[in-house]
Amino acid sequence: MRKISQKQSGFTLIEAIMVMTITAVLAAGVAIFLRKPIDGYMDLTRRTELSDIADTAVRRISRDLHLALPNSVRSAQPECVEFMPTIDGGRYRTDVDASGGGKVFTTSDTISAIDVIGTLRTVPVNGDRIVIYNLGIAGADAYSGVNVATVTAAGSTTSLVNFNSTQFPFASPGNRFHILSVSEPAVSYVCTGLGMDAAGNGTGTLYRYSAYVASGTEPGACPVIPLGTPVLAQNLSACRFTYASGVTERSGLVSLRLGITKSNETVSLYQDVHVNNVP
């Protein structure tokens, strides 16, 4: 009988080891070439994240400051800024209408209502406050309440505002008034815990503190932030607010500088915000 022999083919152990070695060498070479592009992508992602955080914070602060009551911005320390946000405003009547009636503004006596020239966007609610001719100085400072009246009721339309009987010390040259919300009489942006940790990350936090009653006199330090206060930004390594009230005759200037740091990389953002100081 003839014997039929069949040969079996396959990899030997030596061949398998050689293939694994060659593959490892190729992988190491590819990794060297891919490392820089990957590191560059991670750096770009981190910078984009930091820039977005800083830009969002600056935009929110700028939007709030544009609604600040004229001459109400103040900064106790470089790490904070405080102001009174307005929700509406308009012009009041200074003379009777054609029929001899109307709620006319005067400083010679107490008044409890004013007619609005035009209409307000919304009807003020009980507890809102009306401010007239705020100069931010003694005798005309909304923080002390001398030129402020509390809204008691509004008319059926947005053309009449009722408030507790008040004798305002001054009239506005432009016949203007502003309205402050009862739910948010003052707002502070406060930076706390500024610095760097061992990993190269910023340790500071930026808060938006609101719904509190501000002090009648400018405090000497930033307010203490209570638990539950909304956080606007974290990982801050630098934060500075500067307010110049006399930059121009009609407006002040708030300068804001933020530095946000992660993994020893910092994104710095600087913004100037013009504040309308025409009362």
Side-chain angles (χ1 to χ4, degrees), residues 8-272:
Q8 297 181 351
S9 61
F11 290 106
T12 65
L13 179 60
I14 295 177
E15 292 172 332
I17 293 175
M18 290 180 63
V19 170
M20 294 173 62
T21 302
I22 294 172
T23 303
V25 172
L26 293 175
V30 172
I32 292 175
F33 289 106
L34 290 180
R35 180 176 178 179
K36 287 188 176 181
I38 292 176
D39 288 345
Y41 173 77
M42 297 301 295
D43 291 342
L44 179 60
T45 301
R46 183 169 56 251
R47 294 187 194 110
T48 302
E49 178 188 2
L50 296 179
S51 298
D52 183 63
I53 294 173
D55 183 65
T56 300
V58 168
R59 285 177 180 271
R60 177 60 187 273
I61 296 172
S62 299
R63 185 169 65 248
D64 273 358
L65 285 171
H66 285 144
L67 297 176
L69 176 72
N71 302 300
S72 70
V73 178
R74 58 188 188 181
S75 179
Q77 291 180 318
E79 293 78 21
C80 59
V81 64
E82 183 181 39
F83 56 94
M84 292 180 166
T86 63
I87 58 173
D88 209 342
R91 297 179 183 271
Y92 54 76
R93 179 185 295 278
T94 58
D95 200 356
V96 295
D97 58 21
S99 63
K103 301 295 184 179
V104 178
F105 177 83
T106 179
T107 59
S108 60
D109 199 359
T110 59
I111 56 175
S112 58
I114 55 173
D115 282 340
V116 181
I117 305 301
T119 58
L120 298 171
R121 293 189 299 271
T122 58
V123 177
V125 300
N126 291 351
D128 286 349
R129 294 181 296 164
I130 181 171
V131 183
I132 295 179
Y133 203 50
N134 187 60
L135 298 177
I137 60 176
D141 185 12
Y143 284 107
S144 63
V146 294
N147 56 342
V148 179
T150 302
V151 174
T152 55
S156 57
T157 67
T158 54
S159 59
L160 173 67
V161 180
N162 296 286
F163 44 84
N164 63 314
S165 295
T166 304
Q167 184 171 7
F168 290 93
F170 301 104
S172 167
N175 304 331
R176 295 185 180 91
F177 68 91
H178 297 85
I179 297 177
L180 310 180
S181 173
V182 62
S183 61
E184 196 172 60
V187 170
S188 286
Y189 282 97
V190 184
C191 296
T192 63
L194 297 175
M196 297 274 290
D197 62 17
N201 299 316
T203 57
T205 304
L206 173 61
Y207 294 94
R208 185 183 187 274
Y209 179 34
S210 62
Y212 68 95
V213 177
S215 171
T217 58
E218 184 172 358
C222 296
V224 177
I225 303 300
L227 294 176
T229 301
V231 173
L232 193 59
Q234 293 180 309
N235 298 116
L236 266 68
S237 56
C239 174
R240 185 177 183 85
F241 297 96
T242 305
Y243 176 57
S245 59
V247 173
T248 65
E249 294 182 357
R250 300 173 63 87
S251 65
L253 183 70
V254 177
S255 299
L256 166 63
R257 187 184 300 274
L258 289 181
I260 301 180
T261 304
K262 281 188 178 181
S263 301
N264 289 308
E265 186 162 13
T266 301
V267 169
S268 297
L269 203 61
Y270 180 85
Q271 178 79 13
D272 283 335

